[in-house]
Amino acid sequence: MSNHELLHQTGTRIIELDIEGMTCASCVARVERKLGKLDGVEASVNLPLESARLRVPDSVTDQQIVDTVNATGYKARIRETSPRPPEPHTHGEHGEHGEHGEHGEHGGHPHEDHMSHGPAASTLRPRLIVAAILTVPVFAISMVPAFQFPHWGWVAGLLALPVVTWAAWPFHRAAAVNARHLASTMDTLVSIGVLAAYLYSAWQLFANPLLTEHPGMESPGGMGGALYFEVAAVVTTFLLLGRFLEANAKAKAGDALKALLNLGAKDATVLRDGVEHKIPAGQLVAGDVFVVRPGEKIATDGLVTDGSSAVDASLVTGESVPVEVGPGSQVTGATINTSGRLLVRATRVGSETTLAQMGRLVSEAQTGKAPIARLADRISAVFVPVVLGIAVVTFVLWLALGGDLNASFTAAVAVLVIACPCALGLATPVGLLTGTGRGAQLGILIKGPQVLEDTRTVDAILLDKTGTVTSGKLAVRHTLALNGHSPADVLSLAGAVEAASEHPIAHAIAAAAKSALPDAGSLPGVKDFLSAPGGGVRGTVALNGTGPGQTVVAGRTTWLEENGIFPGDEQRRALATEEASGSTAIWVAVDGKPAGIVTLGDTVKPGSAAAIAKLKELGIRPLLLTGDNAAVAAQVATAVGIAPEDVFAGVLPQGKVDAVRKLQSQGSTVAMAGDGVNDAAALAQADLGIAMGSGTDVAIEASDLTVMGSDLGQLVQAIELSRKTLGTIKTNLFWAFFYNAIGIPVAALGLLNPMIAGAAMAASSVLVVANSLRLRSFAK
């Protein structure tokens, strides 16, 4: 069944599992393979998080899922089951994108509980300490003749015994569980290698009790290499150290998501019958009105009903500048009220909040699997059995060709130890975990691993003008005075009469007039106000606050003519010149004569030009897409550095889809960035849909990558982070493959001591995780 069919089929649900006992890529491959044999089930298993995300048809029960995993040798627990509606879109060839299911009451998130699962450092620490304490003397007396004494071999064997049994128990237990199911994993190699080294040495010692009777000798004939107690102890210690460091590093990799999920307010002060009551934030319901005092977190998404303030949304959006809010403003839960007291009516609570949705998106991205990781899965599925075969062949060939039992044994054990595919299993998920977590901290949500691949290949990006490149809000650019009036008087008169109107143009003129007043004064009052929809306004204004006032008419040419005012030809040409530049021009007439022209335009967002220049540096061709006329589009394009031939003007919503398809037909891999409902179809059609988070839910749902802020610079940052995350994963996989490709032949040739092999194997896993953790320092 294709991804498209899966995403749109009915009668399916999403199940999330916690899975205990997985240790390497082979475990992941086995679980996915077994679950995949259930009809209609698709599973993605994550090693660092010890979790799985499944799409399950209704014909398969939850218990069947759990039983299948348990029968494979691991322990599964259902974390969450969520019915799902059909997805709104897919990219066909693109694999799965993030689904948005419910994750528990009050917006809780399963990952928050799950972070404590897995091989926690606290459980490994005592085993590592005991192993290290006992291994040091074993290594010293085995390798340094000066420390040896009569019958030192028996002492070394006794000291090594707790190391290869109790300390190495996690390896042996996992190997035994898998063996019962006729399977093998990384732990199988470790367990066999450690036990083989110890038991072979013990057999040698019991067969010849006088083997270490004399210091500096392992046999009466002086033949060295008969005892390998130090190999068994050192390999165990190194591998435990590697596991311990991995556990610490993986915990750090998940810190970003934990921090995101903990952002929400714990309490809320709700107003009921005019009385304030403090309740847990999770108990809020839609429609509740709650109080937010200065310095407090906003408890949930809502609408401001009273008060004004500045809200610091940096924790959610990544933008550092506080946003001014007042009655009618939308606010987001977990943001911080910095100044005034606000009354907020809850509109979204629990799992519907922006914060909960962010958590789901990040979680789903982290449990996904990039196409590049599939190669690792296929290899790991057969890797361990092949390595066991290579070890046996190595032992037989060395014995047949050289007749040296000790050399044959050493080479075989080295092959087993060096081949453990830990790094292979960690390469992709730890990189993805860290990259997506860092993105969440920066207000960037990457919906899935496929997005990383898409950002690498994108070579053209369509930018919706309004709300993406520009603010989408009109602002006064300049005022032209006529018939002896001053620009300041024209703006003040226009602002006074427009202040009584609700039109966006009126708001912009009134705001500009008010900001031009000295000492934060107020605009003159207006009498006899009249508004004509789509035409303009009229009223009487006393500019100095005294006298009968002046009749002010502001609006389009037709509105002035309806009021008996007829601008002259030269004045009309001045208006036409302003409009030809892509601006909106409004007449202002005083006492029956044109007094001036106020010119307004959409404002380019600060940083848009710099962001577009950076896109070009990344090898991405920026194109402007807008429903506005060509003059407006050309003006904005020039301001931000987009070439005239890369402008699509006068485009309707369907035309935006056609623009994406046109570029795709020319061989381009196309990204689309937008924030409105009319952008959703184009976002879905694009190879990479990028929603600006200041926009609508439908735009965010239709996209692959979401920027929670409104700054175009964050879009560039999102692409850079995605590419860097993909680069880190590829680097991890290269070294994991390279390490095994080089290490196994070297070990088989007898050129690698098993102790060094153990240290190298542990180091490879730690290095892969450490390389991934570098993403935590990705800067703004």
Side-chain angles (χ1 to χ4, degrees):
M1 183 177 292
S2 70
N3 285 330
H4 182 85
E5 291 170 329
L6 273 170
L7 287 169
H8 288 82
Q9 65 177 314
T10 56
T12 62
R13 66 191 187 282
I14 296 297
I15 289 180
E16 295 192 359
L17 299 176
D18 291 328
I19 303 177
E20 296 179 13
M22 297 188 300
T23 56
C24 67
S26 297
C27 303
V28 171
R30 283 189 59 222
V31 174
E32 287 186 346
R33 189 169 60 251
K34 292 290 186 181
L35 288 171
K37 290 181 179 179
L38 295 174
D39 188 36
V41 173
E42 280 213 349
S44 179
V45 179
N46 185 289
L47 177 61
L49 296 178
E50 286 200 299
S51 66
R53 183 175 178 80
L54 297 83
R55 183 177 290 276
V56 181
D58 290 341
S59 57
V60 178
T61 66
D62 290 359
Q63 193 58 48
Q64 283 179 275
I65 297 293
V66 172
D67 291 344
T68 298
V69 176
N70 291 346
T72 310
Y74 306 97
K75 190 174 181 181
R77 175 175 63 86
I78 295 287
R79 180 196 297 169
E80 184 70 30
T81 304
S82 302
R84 293 296 176 98
E87 303 296 335
H89 91 294
T90 182
H91 286 314
E93 301 176 4
H94 281 204
E96 291 190 32
H97 293 279
E99 301 92 4
H100 309 280
E102 304 300 327
H103 283 287
E105 190 178 5
H106 308 318
H109 198 281
H111 266 298
E112 194 167 10
D113 297 329
H114 183 59
M115 289 297 177
S116 61
H117 291 295
S122 58
T123 63
L124 293 171
R125 184 180 291 109
R127 296 183 191 274
L128 174 60
I129 291 173
V130 169
I133 291 173
L134 295 178
T135 296
V136 170
V138 172
F139 181 83
I141 63 178
S142 299
M143 302 300 293
V144 183
F147 292 154
Q148 293 176 356
F149 46 84
H151 302 292
W152 59 265
W154 293 96
V155 175
L158 287 174
L159 289 174
L161 184 60
V163 178
V164 299
T165 53
W166 181 77
W169 178 246
F171 304 111
H172 302 320
R173 181 183 179 281
V177 168
N178 283 284
R180 285 204 302 270
H181 297 275
L182 302 178
S184 55
T185 67
M186 178 211 82
D187 294 294
T188 305
L189 302 181
V190 174
S191 180
I192 291 176
V194 168
L195 289 178
Y198 187 87
L199 294 176
Y200 175 78
S201 302
W203 173 73
Q204 288 279 76
L205 201 56
F206 277 101
N208 186 359
L210 302 179
L211 186 62
T212 56
E213 180 181 6
H214 305 287
M217 310 263 307
E218 287 187 356
S219 67
M223 293 177 60
L227 298 184
Y228 294 96
F229 291 126
E230 77 282 2
V231 170
V234 170
V235 166
T236 298
T237 302
F238 274 139
L239 297 185
L240 282 173
L241 176 62
R243 284 280 180 92
F244 177 77
L245 294 176
E246 280 175 30
N248 276 330
K250 286 189 286 187
K252 290 179 181 178
D255 282 349
L257 180 55
K258 286 193 289 183
L260 172 67
L261 299 172
N262 288 328
L263 284 179
K266 307 303 180 192
D267 300 305
T269 303
V270 67
L271 272 181
R272 288 182 179 154
D273 298 324
V275 180
E276 295 184 6
H277 301 276
K278 181 162 281 192
I279 63 171
Q283 293 181 11
L284 282 171
V285 296
D288 276 346
V289 175
F290 58 95
V291 180
V292 189
R293 292 182 173 82
E296 291 183 344
K297 284 185 179 179
I298 296 174
T300 193
D301 295 358
L303 190 73
V304 176
T305 61
D306 186 59
S308 60
S309 180
V311 172
D312 180 0
S314 59
L315 293 174
V316 175
T317 68
E319 292 185 327
S320 57
V321 180
V323 179
E324 296 292 332
V325 299
S329 298
Q330 296 280 351
V331 290
T332 304
T335 57
I336 300 172
N337 178 24
T338 63
S339 51
R341 178 179 183 270
L342 297 175
L343 292 183
V344 179
R345 186 174 72 251
T347 56
R348 289 200 249 184
V349 296
S351 60
E352 296 303 316
T353 65
T354 299
L355 186 66
Q357 291 173 357
M358 287 176 68
R360 281 199 294 274
L361 286 173
V362 177
S363 169
E364 289 161 9
Q366 291 177 347
T367 55
K369 195 163 302 232
I372 192 173
R374 299 293 177 184
L375 177 61
D377 289 349
R378 289 194 294 270
I379 291 176
S380 64
V382 297
F383 187 79
V384 174
V386 168
V387 169
L388 289 172
I390 293 174
V392 172
V393 171
T394 298
F395 180 81
V396 171
L397 287 178
W398 268 88
L399 198 61
L401 297 176
D404 188 335
L405 182 61
N406 290 333
S408 304
F409 179 79
T410 300
V413 170
V415 167
L416 290 173
V417 174
I418 196 67
C420 296
C422 301
L424 199 61
L426 294 169
T428 296
V430 175
L432 190 62
L433 180 68
T434 312
T436 54
R438 180 56 180 157
Q441 290 178 324
L442 298 174
I444 298 166
L445 305 183
I446 302 168
K447 280 195 178 179
Q450 176 63 50
V451 176
L452 304 179
E453 295 278 359
D454 294 340
T455 58
R456 179 180 62 85
T457 57
V458 161
D459 54 18
I461 183 167
L462 282 164
L463 303 170
D464 181 59
K465 180 185 75 71
T466 305
T468 302
V469 177
T470 66
S471 65
K473 297 178 181 178
L474 288 172
V476 172
R477 288 180 175 167
H478 64 87
T479 303
L480 174 66
L482 303 171
N483 292 329
H485 291 273
S486 69
D489 283 352
V490 170
L491 186 59
S492 291
L493 289 166
V497 72
E498 295 281 18
S501 172
E502 294 297 321
H503 195 279
I505 290 177
H507 284 177
I509 294 174
K514 188 172 183 179
S515 65
L517 293 172
D519 302 323
S522 58
L523 292 170
V526 61
K527 299 178 181 178
D528 304 322
F529 176 77
L530 176 66
S531 174
V537 294
R538 185 181 69 211
T540 301
V541 179
L543 192 59
N544 298 317
T546 60
Q550 298 167 289
T551 300
V552 180
V553 178
R556 301 180 183 276
T557 303
T558 54
W559 175 242
L560 261 66
E561 291 175 346
E562 286 180 28
N563 284 273
I565 304 168
F566 300 91
D569 291 342
E570 186 176 342
Q571 294 168 344
R572 290 175 186 267
R573 282 194 293 270
L575 183 79
T577 300
E578 296 295 338
E579 291 179 332
S581 68
S583 302
T584 298
I586 299 298
W587 288 109
V588 180
V590 177
D591 290 336
K593 294 182 180 180
I597 299 171
V598 178
T599 302
L600 306 95
D602 193 359
T603 55
V604 173
K605 290 181 180 177
S608 286
I612 287 169
K614 185 65 177 177
L615 285 171
K616 293 178 181 178
E617 290 179 19
L618 294 173
I620 301 174
R621 172 190 172 197
L623 302 99
L624 190 67
L625 195 62
T626 178
D628 287 339
N629 62 50
V632 172
Q635 185 184 49
V636 173
T638 301
V640 298
I642 293 178
E645 62 272 17
D646 288 336
V647 175
F648 293 82
V651 179
L652 298 175
Q654 180 55 41
K656 294 182 178 183
V657 175
D658 293 338
V660 173
R661 287 175 177 164
K662 179 180 178 181
L663 289 170
Q664 289 171 330
S665 68
Q666 294 171 354
S668 293
T669 302
V670 182
M672 166 71 191
D675 74 335
V677 173
N678 62 1
D679 298 322
L683 289 170
Q685 174 63 37
D687 298 292
L688 178 69
I690 305 172
M692 304 299 287
S694 56
T696 61
D697 288 346
V698 67
I700 294 173
E701 182 69 23
S703 67
D704 306 303
L705 193 153
T706 299
V707 176
M708 295 304 293
S710 58
D711 183 5
L712 193 57
Q714 280 186 293
L715 181 151
V716 178
Q717 188 181 53
I719 293 174
E720 289 182 309
L721 175 61
S722 297
R723 288 185 173 184
K724 191 172 182 65
T725 301
L726 179 64
T728 298
I729 290 172
K730 287 188 172 182
T731 302
N732 288 348
L733 286 171
F734 170 79
W735 284 112
F737 281 124
F738 180 80
Y739 164 83
N740 282 311
I742 297 298
I744 292 175
V746 170
L749 291 172
L751 302 176
L752 191 64
N753 185 290
M755 289 186 292
I756 297 175
M761 194 278 285
S764 70
S765 299
V766 174
L767 286 174
V768 161
V769 176
N771 183 49
S772 299
L773 289 180
R774 292 190 305 119
L775 290 168
R776 298 174 73 205
S777 63
F778 180 85
K780 290 187 178 183

